[in-house]
């Protein structure tokens, strides 16, 4: 398949022909639109590439949801700000529990109270960082393939809603009636 920006533009135009609205997860939760497209971009390593997509989408009147990890590049702040200024949703792509438990060898069956406290503290600090750019109320777990820890385990011990979060797609979206498309594997 043609994994180019030109093909991506064509995909967006095709979707616009079939769906009346593009929204973020926050709108999906609060407004429950009948038919919409949620474009989710996990910005794992190349924020400059995400900015290119954000500009293309904005020029077509399309809103997407950009999920950023903390500190993936030193100067990502300007990129996050511009993507937000283009009208896109900014979400926190968290991995706080696996970062706190980096040296833990087991698969998460033992998490001490201290580990949980530290991960929650880290989560809250990172969430506040992203809220400098956008009123973040959506989070999504980053799968840390080199860690035995599933970051979603944190919510077994702490309720993210206490921090004003309204959506964690792994928990708050019923995907049974949705069409899910991914660019994993470099395909549109």
């Amino acid at each position: 398949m043609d994994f180019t920006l030109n093909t991506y533009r064509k995909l967006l135009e095709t979707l616009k022909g079939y769906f009346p609205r593009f929204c973020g997860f926050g709108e999906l939760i609060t407004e429950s639109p009948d038919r919409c497209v949620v474009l989710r971009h996990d910005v794992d390593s190349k924020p400059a590439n995400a900015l290119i997509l954000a500009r293309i989408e904005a020029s077509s009147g399309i809103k997407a949801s950009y999920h950023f990890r903390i500190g993936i590049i030193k100067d990502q702040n300007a990129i996050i700000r511009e993507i937000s200024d283009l009208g896109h949703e900014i979400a926190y792509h968290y991995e706080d529990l696996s970062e706190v438990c980096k040296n833990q060898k087991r698969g998460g069956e033992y998490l001490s109270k201290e580990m949980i406290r530290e991960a929650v503290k880290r989560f809250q600090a990172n969430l506040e960082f992203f809220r400098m750019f956008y009123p973040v109320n959506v989070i999504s777990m980053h799968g840390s393939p080199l860690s035995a820890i599933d970051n979603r385990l944190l919510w077994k011990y702490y309720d993210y809603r206490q921090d004003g979060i309204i959506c964690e797609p792994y928990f708050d979206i019923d995907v049974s009636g949705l069409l899910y498309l991914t660019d994993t594997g470099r395909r549109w």
Side-chain angles (χ1 to χ4, degrees):
M1 180 164 256
D2 186 1
F3 192 67
T4 63
L5 295 177
N6 189 44
T7 300
Y8 186 63
R9 284 184 188 94
K10 289 177 185 175
L11 173 63
L12 294 177
E13 290 306 312
T14 300
L15 289 171
K16 279 177 67 173
Y18 288 98
F19 295 93
R21 182 173 177 190
F22 288 73
C23 68
F25 286 100
E27 293 167 275
L28 187 65
I29 292 292
T30 60
E31 299 174 23
S32 301
D34 285 337
R35 288 175 40 101
C36 74
V37 174
V38 178
L39 291 175
R40 172 178 160 176
H41 300 288
D42 291 353
V43 186
D44 288 338
S45 61
K46 297 182 180 178
N49 288 352
L51 180 57
I52 292 168
L53 295 179
R55 288 174 177 160
I56 290 170
E57 293 157 352
S59 71
S60 296
I62 290 173
K63 178 179 184 170
S65 185
Y66 284 82
H67 298 233
F68 283 90
R69 291 169 59 204
I70 196 75
I72 53 175
I73 63 167
K74 291 184 186 213
D75 297 319
Q76 72 180 1
N77 299 14
I79 291 172
I80 296 169
R81 186 170 312 284
E82 185 172 344
I83 290 174
S84 174
D85 289 347
L86 288 168
H88 298 293
E89 176 180 71
I90 303 297
Y92 175 33
H93 200 34
Y94 66 90
E95 55 190 332
D96 301 292
L97 189 58
S98 63
E99 284 296 308
V100 166
C101 301
K102 264 186 179 173
N103 298 324
Q104 177 136 348
K105 302 294 182 212
R106 299 185 302 178
E109 60 270 8
Y110 173 74
L111 296 171
S112 71
K113 288 181 182 179
E114 182 56 37
M115 290 173 174
I116 298 300
R117 274 195 298 274
E118 172 113 10
V120 168
K121 184 178 171 185
R122 179 185 159 92
F123 168 80
Q124 291 169 328
N126 292 337
L127 182 61
E128 287 310 308
F129 167 78
F130 287 111
R131 285 180 170 163
M132 293 187 320
F133 308 101
Y134 185 87
V136 174
N137 60 9
V138 173
I139 59 172
S140 65
M141 181 269 299
H142 174 68
S144 300
L146 300 178
S147 173
I149 303 296
D150 183 334
N151 285 292
R152 294 172 293 188
L153 285 174
L154 185 58
W155 313 130
K156 213 172 136 178
Y157 305 95
Y158 183 77
D159 184 357
Y160 51 79
R161 288 176 180 79
Q162 291 181 34
D163 290 308
I165 301 302
I166 62 171
C167 182
E168 205 302 2
Y170 291 103
F171 297 114
D172 300 316
I173 304 289
D174 176 10
V175 297
S176 61
L178 301 177
L179 171 63
Y180 175 78
L181 305 173
T182 180
D183 65 357
T184 302
R186 299 185 57 78
R187 297 170 186 239
W188 297 122

